[in-house]
Amino acid sequence: MAPKTLLLLSLILVLLLGQSCATKDYGLALTKSLLFFEAQRSGKLPPGQRVTWRGDSAPNDGKDNGVALSGGYFDAGDNVKFGFPLAYSLTAIAWGVVEFNSRLEAKKELGNALAALRWGTDYLINAHPQPDVLYVEVGDGSSDHDCWQRPEDMSTPRTSYKIDDSKPGSDVAAESAAALAAASIAFKGSDPKYSGTLLTHAKQLLEFARNHRGLYQNSVPQAGQFYSSSGDDDEIVWAAAWLHRATGEQTYLDILSSGNNGGVRSMFSWDDKYVGAQLLVTKLLLEGKVPNSGPWAAYKNNVDMFVCSVVQKGNNNVQKSPGGILWFLPWANLQYVTSSMLVVSTYADYLSAAKATLSCPQGSVSPKDLISFATSQVDYILGANPKAMSYMVGFGSNFPVQVHHRGASIVSIKADPKSIGCKEGFDWFNRNSPNPNVLDGALVGGPDANDAYTDSRSNYQQAEPAIATNAALIGVLARLA
């Protein structure tokens, strides 16, 4: 072989190894994934704020109804606080903390994970001023989307919308109950008093949901335009599963045994929580706390079939791109990849603890196989893909630079304090240049079914980040780090 050819092969090998190593720093990815939540903070920023290009915003949220709704998180690249995906995101963060607490601590990220969680749960507590009242949105999606403004400059209406006993929203009330119950477990060791407060709110919210059934978009049509719920049975069993885990009370087992187990699902998402509930019940079954029969066995069988299809061992496998990423939906596909990997990683540890394996139609799957599959998906996200692009902003050397995000795409208020108006911001939106602020740790929507990705602010299906996408990844990265 010619010396030049050998040299070329050596260089290729070095590049490949470099790429491989770059995608293996799960600890760094974990650190960055938590930083993203600081960029999404609404309200008065705390003294320890690490994302320094952000400033205080929306201090008067809730004032229109006499409630203190400052705080919480902006949903995605916009400046609206949507309660339904917010509550799901908090449940996902809490689940990661509960399952992988010691791993987060080993990576010195437990404090940051709990801070990310608390920023949201403090807001949820304030949004629940009475047992049967819950504020489920602040801001107006339509007017917000007509503007391109930094959150610090917002001039759009900050209307607050609520559900109550005459205008119910059992889906969002139950999801909020799940979030607070899961968070109560996460905080039990470090702050028992706060944990107790979270649990009280969780119990009240599930009771409110069960006594006043109805989809929240029928009460708050403004929310339905953006995050419409397809049902509330899944949130009811999901909340019951978390409240049982937090309390051990029989009441919640009764809800689960008589509830809708959902059958075999095609995804786990902000709108569909059945897979999560099925897995929490499966943990009880593997530990011998419920019998492997009747409704309990049905829960387990359903999650088994979902996981089998995700890891390509089922009869109806989830589609994969040629490069290997799971493919669920054209809009923000990575959101459904991260949520399914949280399920896969968690199930791996449940099976491991029970010294069990997963029986799939196409063969047996071990806990190690599950972690290996989760690793392949995370590696793809972090750069091991046909474009050699990291879909986590700020991770690696090649990542999206025109992220669809108002705050990141406009000069920081710290660098230029002059107010930028509703339409003025579109000058920044239309620039064909990198965002002035790096949105560290944000996962974009991701590539299409053929591994293609266009790095453009106007490409909101692929280029917009969201708290729900990052939330589920925290636990997965902690498990792999």
Side-chain angles (χ1 to χ4, degrees):
M1 194 178 285
K4 281 186 177 178
T5 310
L6 277 171
L7 181 61
L8 186 60
L9 285 171
S10 300
L11 283 169
I12 290 169
L13 188 61
V14 167
L15 284 169
L16 287 171
L17 285 170
Q19 179 63 44
S20 172
C21 292
T23 60
K24 291 290 191 291
D25 195 346
Y26 306 122
L28 178 61
L30 172 63
T31 298
K32 287 181 177 288
S33 71
L34 284 161
L35 267 179
F36 169 65
F37 286 91
E38 297 195 16
Q40 294 301 105
R41 282 173 171 165
S42 180
K44 182 169 176 55
L45 299 177
Q49 172 79 10
R50 295 176 295 167
V51 179
T52 54
W53 52 264
R54 279 294 323 281
D56 298 343
S57 61
N60 299 317
D61 280 359
K63 205 171 183 181
D64 57 331
N65 281 303
V67 284
L69 295 179
S70 178
Y73 289 109
F74 298 122
D75 176 60
D78 51 14
N79 297 324
V80 185
K81 295 190 289 204
F82 290 109
F84 196 35
L86 169 64
Y88 160 78
S89 301
L90 296 176
T91 317
I93 295 171
W95 197 3
V97 171
V98 168
E99 301 296 354
F100 308 114
N101 185 289
S102 60
R103 291 174 182 271
L104 283 162
E105 196 162 25
K107 288 293 172 184
K108 298 183 169 47
E109 291 296 345
L110 180 59
N112 289 322
L114 288 172
L117 184 56
R118 191 165 190 150
W119 192 263
T121 52
D122 281 352
Y123 169 79
L124 262 193
I125 288 170
N126 290 340
H128 183 227
Q130 297 166 44
D132 289 0
V133 174
L134 179 68
Y135 283 85
V136 299
E137 182 177 335
V138 181
D140 174 68
S142 297
S143 59
D144 179 88
H145 288 196
D146 284 340
C147 292
W148 195 262
Q149 283 181 294
R150 300 179 294 206
E152 298 87 355
D153 288 334
M154 273 187 291
S155 57
T156 50
R158 298 300 291 173
T159 313
S160 52
Y161 301 92
K162 68 178 178 180
I163 55 168
D164 55 30
D165 50 10
S166 64
K167 287 188 172 180
S170 40
D171 36 21
V172 67
E175 182 56 46
S176 300
L180 295 169
S184 77
I185 304 169
F187 283 103
K188 197 169 185 178
S190 60
D191 194 339
K193 187 181 176 187
Y194 186 62
S195 172
T197 300
L198 294 168
L199 196 54
T200 299
H201 282 275
K203 288 179 172 182
Q204 289 177 354
L205 280 162
L206 181 55
E207 193 174 337
F208 170 34
R210 295 186 71 220
N211 292 338
H212 301 280
R213 300 291 288 266
L215 301 187
Y216 88 122
Q217 65 258 24
N218 296 330
S219 300
V220 184
Q222 293 83 355
Q225 293 174 44
F226 299 91
Y227 286 100
S228 188
S229 168
S230 58
D232 63 352
D233 283 350
D234 55 326
E235 282 85 19
I236 299 281
V237 291
W238 177 229
W242 275 113
L243 273 158
H244 176 264
R245 187 156 174 181
T247 67
E249 292 172 17
Q250 181 65 36
T251 310
Y252 303 114
L253 276 187
D254 294 342
I255 295 170
L256 287 164
S257 64
S258 60
N260 180 356
N261 65 45
V264 179
R265 311 307 294 175
S266 60
M267 64 172 57
F268 174 51
S269 73
W270 61 266
D271 182 40
D272 190 338
K273 321 304 180 345
Y274 280 119
V275 169
Q278 290 164 0
L279 187 51
L280 291 183
V281 169
T282 297
K283 181 179 194 288
L284 296 173
L285 189 150
L286 289 169
E287 292 171 347
K289 293 175 180 174
V290 295
N292 188 4
S293 60
W296 309 114
Y299 275 106
K300 182 178 185 299
N301 179 66
N302 293 332
V303 76
D304 285 357
M305 291 306 100
F306 170 77
V307 173
C308 289
S309 72
V310 164
V311 301
Q312 311 295 295
K313 293 285 189 179
N315 287 330
N316 186 25
N317 292 334
V318 176
Q319 183 185 339
K320 285 174 84 176
S321 74
I325 196 74
L326 291 169
W327 178 253
F328 293 94
L329 288 173
W331 197 307
N333 179 60
L334 290 185
Q335 186 172 128
Y336 311 103
V337 176
T338 60
S339 59
S340 59
M341 287 312 98
L342 178 58
V343 169
V344 167
S345 305
T346 301
Y347 201 4
D349 284 7
Y350 290 175
L351 288 168
S352 206
K355 297 184 168 54
T357 56
L358 177 61
S359 295
C360 291
Q362 304 299 325
S364 179
V365 179
S366 70
K368 190 178 175 184
D369 295 332
L370 292 177
I371 293 299
S372 177
F373 187 86
T375 303
S376 74
Q377 296 299 293
V378 172
D379 284 354
Y380 181 108
I381 290 169
L382 297 180
N385 56 62
K387 288 185 77 71
M389 173 178 265
S390 163
Y391 293 106
M392 176 181 279
V393 178
F395 186 91
S397 57
N398 181 29
F399 52 82
V401 296
Q402 288 198 25
V403 185
H404 180 94
H405 188 275
R406 285 158 177 75
S409 68
I410 302 174
V411 64
S412 167
I413 195 162
K414 305 286 183 68
D416 184 356
K418 187 172 73 69
S419 180
I420 293 170
C422 167
K423 299 300 181 186
E424 285 178 85
F426 283 105
D427 172 50
W428 289 90
F429 176 85
N430 292 318
R431 294 182 186 190
N432 187 20
S433 57
N435 288 348
N437 309 302
V438 178
L439 193 62
D440 251 333
L443 279 194
V444 291
D448 67 16
N450 295 307
D451 304 299
Y453 181 85
T454 305
D455 187 13
S456 166
R457 245 167 254 117
S458 57
N459 180 18
Y460 45 83
Q461 279 196 324
Q462 292 187 309
E464 186 170 17
I467 57 172
T469 313
N470 268 64
L473 187 64
I474 291 166
V476 182
L477 289 170
R479 176 61 180 81
L480 300 184

